[in-house]
Amino acid sequence: MKGATLLVTLIETLLGLGHEISAFSTDPALEPSRHNRVVARGHRFTMYYVPRRRHAMRSDRGARGRMLDFFALERHALADAIRQECPEIVHAHWSYEFGAAALDSGLPCVLTCHDSPWAILKVQRDLYRVGRLLMAKSVLRRARHATVVSPYLVEALQGMTRAPLSVVPNPLPGGLIESGRVRRAPDLAARAPRIAMLLNGWSPRKNPEPGLLAMKHIRAVYPQAEMHLYGPGYGPAEQAWTWTVAQKMENAFVFHGWTPYTETMKQLAGMDLLLHPALEESFGMTIAEAMALGVPVVAGRDSGAVPWVLGADSGGGALVDVRSPRKIAEAVLKLLENPECYVRCSERGRARASEVFSPAAVAQSYLEHYQQVLAHSDRVPAHATGEVSA
């Protein structure tokens, strides 16, 4: 979703530990020229923006689509900016144009992989995803030091790289963890249940339809139950609304659509349960966020990293076949109607989020990786000691 905070959290944590940070990103508002960039400098923090073409295949302001040359303009512009800043070490997030640019800079580099291009291509079969797969394969072949955000990605990517893959999960904002609490089961005799579904787009991979259809079964038991929908594609007159109108069940839903992150988390804290029907996740930030807030989760038992994030042994919720609306509904009702199970899931989810996904723990893991990379590097810029590029 827009406003995702994992890199902001990591940067803030490293700054709090006294490090200097330079961050590099792309912006479609900038004219597509390799040498066009915007730089903002603050206390121990510098932000670089370089152009990103707005279209994958179609031309954009005189430049061809970005996938037609495998993001060449973006890669070159990022690499130029990184060389100009010359940090001690570069930490590249995502194994595509950012990973390629970091490697092209020639500086010591840690690559963090956030997804499996093969898994995404299986459920989103188009030329763009083929191009992304080819980009990732090139980056992973070149990488010497790499981390992944879940054990699922170790298995998914180990055949694509010779670099050892270490697991360092995504960090949750510290304030989110602190604001959470262990919850009691809702009093369903006093009010109807409130269920949240937060998905980043309407796509086969996100698998929204079975989750929406589960409300037919839930409403057969609790006629006033509501499902609150968040994310692009889930607002009034967007894809989810159109689909539910065709199913004649739109009255079961509240269509929030894209909502700022802080407001989304505030509203999620007021829900009884999170339903996450995605077929594949390389991590699942929404699940971890719900756990931090103490909100039990129903998610896919075969959905990539989801069981690991939720904690199959520690039990932050229920794992089900998310292709089946009936099984989703059964898991939701079982959690809501069993107070002991509900509280146990809330407690264990909170504990796992605090212990495994805290910003301090994640930042410390990355710092250890930086030290290992620099210890084996024959190039350490003398004037950039203590700087990290994200």
Side-chain angles (χ1 to χ4, degrees):
M1 300 175 86
K2 294 179 183 177
T5 61
L6 69 95
L7 292 185
V8 174
T9 298
L10 181 58
I11 289 170
E12 289 178 342
T13 305
L14 291 172
L15 286 172
L17 293 172
H19 297 278
E20 296 181 33
I21 308 293
S22 301
F24 302 83
S25 189
T26 57
D27 188 340
L30 296 178
E31 288 293 322
S33 168
R34 173 173 176 173
H35 302 293
N36 190 14
R37 70 182 63 143
V38 174
V39 184
R41 296 188 184 274
H43 179 58
R44 293 191 288 108
F45 179 67
T46 302
M47 185 75 222
Y48 282 77
Y49 291 99
V50 303
R52 182 177 78 247
R53 287 165 287 177
R54 293 175 294 190
H55 307 303
M57 301 298 179
R58 294 185 288 119
S59 63
D60 176 24
R61 295 165 288 181
R64 59 181 172 175
R66 61 183 185 269
M67 186 50 78
L68 297 181
D69 58 11
F70 297 100
F71 288 68
L73 185 152
E74 291 81 1
R75 289 187 284 109
H76 295 322
L78 285 165
D80 289 346
I82 293 169
R83 292 191 197 101
Q84 175 181 316
E85 188 69 10
C86 198
E88 184 177 359
I89 188 167
V90 184
H91 186 175
H93 290 266
W94 285 278
S95 52
Y96 304 103
E97 67 273 20
F98 292 99
L103 292 167
D104 290 344
S105 75
L107 295 165
C109 174
V110 175
L111 172 69
T112 289
C113 303
H114 289 268
D115 61 19
S116 165
W118 276 115
I120 295 173
L121 180 60
K122 287 179 182 178
V123 292
Q124 293 181 234
R125 297 175 181 271
D126 55 49
L127 287 176
Y128 182 78
R129 291 300 171 185
V130 171
R132 295 296 267 179
L133 171 63
L134 294 175
M135 291 176 69
K137 289 180 70 173
S138 173
V139 168
L140 285 164
R141 266 199 311 269
R142 297 167 58 196
R144 296 175 57 192
H145 308 280
T147 71
V148 293
V149 295
S150 66
Y152 161 70
L153 283 181
V154 174
E155 182 177 351
L157 299 177
Q158 61 185 357
M160 299 175 66
T161 181
R162 289 177 292 180
L165 298 174
S166 302
V167 176
V168 182
N170 288 331
L172 288 167
L176 186 72
I177 296 172
E178 293 169 3
S179 68
R181 59 180 174 81
V182 175
R183 297 164 181 273
R184 294 181 179 179
D187 183 357
L188 300 180
R191 64 167 177 81
R194 294 187 296 263
I195 301 161
M197 193 162 80
L198 285 67
L199 295 174
N200 188 16
W202 180 275
S203 69
R205 180 171 168 242
K206 296 304 180 182
N207 190 43
E209 294 97 326
L212 300 175
L213 285 171
M215 282 301 287
K216 287 187 175 181
H217 304 288
I218 294 168
R219 278 206 152 193
V221 181
Y222 298 101
Q224 300 303 312
E226 290 181 341
M227 181 178 286
H228 292 250
L229 305 177
Y230 300 86
Y234 297 88
E238 295 184 333
Q239 293 101 314
W241 181 86
T242 301
W243 189 90
T244 58
V245 168
Q247 297 288 327
K248 297 181 179 179
M249 54 183 300
E250 69 273 19
N251 291 335
F253 304 95
V254 181
F255 300 91
H256 297 273
W258 180 81
T259 307
Y261 179 80
T262 301
E263 181 62 24
T264 301
M265 292 299 102
K266 180 180 177 181
Q267 295 193 28
L268 178 58
M271 298 294 159
D272 298 316
L273 184 142
L274 172 72
L275 170 61
H276 195 79
L279 295 177
E280 190 270 348
E281 291 284 2
S282 56
F283 183 78
M285 281 298 292
T286 300
I287 294 171
E289 288 160 349
M291 293 164 62
L293 292 170
V295 177
V297 179
V298 171
R301 69 186 180 198
D302 300 310
S303 299
V306 167
W308 177 78
V309 173
L310 191 60
D313 296 330
S314 55
L319 296 168
V320 299
D321 177 5
V322 289
R323 296 181 185 272
S324 168
R326 183 175 294 279
K327 290 181 179 179
I328 291 172
E330 289 173 354
V332 167
L333 292 170
K334 182 179 179 181
L335 262 178
L336 292 174
E337 295 174 344
N338 187 327
E340 290 184 2
C341 180
Y342 186 95
V343 172
R344 183 167 62 250
C345 288
S346 180
E347 288 177 341
R348 293 179 176 177
R350 282 268 302 150
R352 179 166 175 79
S354 299
E355 293 168 8
V356 181
F357 310 134
S358 73
V362 173
Q364 183 58 43
S365 293
Y366 277 135
L367 286 170
E368 291 171 2
H369 281 282
Y370 301 161
Q371 292 168 356
Q372 292 172 12
V373 172
L374 290 173
H376 293 88
S377 172
D378 56 3
R379 182 180 180 184
V380 180
H383 68 282
T385 302
E387 293 189 5
V388 178
S389 172

